[in-house]
Amino acid sequence: MSGQSLLVPGELSPARSVPGNIRRPEYVGKPAPTPYTGPEVQTAETIEAMRIAGRIAAQAMAEAAKLIAPGVTTDELDKVAHDYMCDHGAYPSTLGYRGYPKSLCSSVNEVICHGIPDSTVLRDGDIVNLDVTAYIGGVHGDNNATYLCGDVDEESRLLVERTREALNRAIKAVKPGRQINVIGRVIESYAKRFGYGVVRDFTGHGINSSFHSGLIIPHYDSPHATTVIEPGMTFTIEPMLTLGTHDYDMWDDGWTVVTKDRKRTAQFEHTLVVTDSGAEILTLP
């Protein structure tokens, strides 16, 4: 694995503004969102709105990813995604969610998830996860992917490639009538082939008009995930695989989650709607 030094927090830039004509999620300016009490199965109208939100989120992530290179700061990536979403009439869902200060999450190397964009400069050989969610039409679309920065070592490159494959396999396992735990079973069994850890305490989630509806999608084979998959359900799958332990520490910022052994980790995510025969990805650019 790369012998690079571990990450440390950088400096935050001032909060980015969102045009006043863009609709805000209800949680902006509040300490926490109002708990979701609606159904997990969505109407055709909601699903169509989520296609739009998902497409904007995917394209915003792709635009930010074009900048990934040694010498670029994670804050610069945040600005690109922020501007793209605002230019397309969408609100960056993470901005102001439970006080989160930025418009995407940038999780580098040993950061499992929720890294905050700041003055951190990307280095040759880093792996960089971008997590982007857009809110438009009263709904959210959520996706993330891990990218290579410059010349990345083989162990890290394979981790990224296999984490993407774990997501693809999990999506194919989604079928009406199966229990949610089939998703984690597929991911965990695949990850074990390579000796990877599977993060347990951060999961996929139901998503619709609510950023996190309360439906939990574990990425390991959980005996408690017995909810039956139904057509019209909308949720994310977002496996986080590690080169070592799945245990973690959290930085003092209350957001940045790092592997306890500080080994590298990768993640991929799509928002899905369950169809009569499987799943449709809503977060495609």
Side-chain angles (χ1 to χ4, degrees), residues 84-240:
Y84 186 92
M85 285 185 274
C86 291
D87 288 348
H88 289 79
Y91 185 91
S93 300
T94 58
L95 184 62
Y97 179 77
R98 296 183 181 271
Y100 187 83
K102 291 295 176 180
S103 298
L104 59 70
C105 299
S106 55
S107 301
V108 180
N109 296 344
E110 69 270 20
V111 180
I112 295 172
C113 58
H114 304 157
I116 300 174
D118 58 17
S119 62
T120 296
V121 177
L122 297 179
R123 302 163 296 181
D124 187 56
D126 283 344
I127 59 174
V128 187
N129 179 270
L130 300 182
D131 192 337
V132 179
T133 309
Y135 177 79
I136 188 171
V139 297
H140 301 268
D142 185 2
N143 69 159
N144 76 56
T146 303
Y147 300 90
L148 309 181
C149 180
D151 185 16
V152 174
D153 68 89
E154 181 73 357
E155 186 179 36
S156 299
R157 189 188 63 76
L158 285 172
L159 173 68
V160 171
E161 180 181 300
R162 290 164 177 168
T163 306
R164 182 191 291 110
E165 176 63 15
L167 173 60
N168 292 339
R169 290 177 179 229
I171 291 170
K172 290 175 183 175
V174 174
K175 306 284 185 188
R178 292 179 173 177
Q179 294 182 342
I180 289 290
N181 57 15
V182 71
I183 295 168
R185 188 176 310 130
V186 166
I187 292 168
E188 188 173 40
S189 63
Y190 180 69
K192 279 183 174 178
R193 288 168 49 182
F194 311 104
Y196 296 154
V198 180
V199 173
R200 301 166 79 90
D201 289 354
F202 299 90
T203 68
H205 52 90
I207 183 169
N208 39 65
S209 60
S210 172
F211 195 170
H212 299 86
S213 73
L215 176 66
I216 293 173
I217 313 295
H219 301 121
Y220 65 99
D221 187 4
S222 169
H224 306 294
T226 56
T227 300
V228 174
I229 298 170
E230 300 178 59
M233 277 184 167
T234 50
F235 53 80
T236 72
I237 303 176
E238 45 188 297
M240 292 150 261

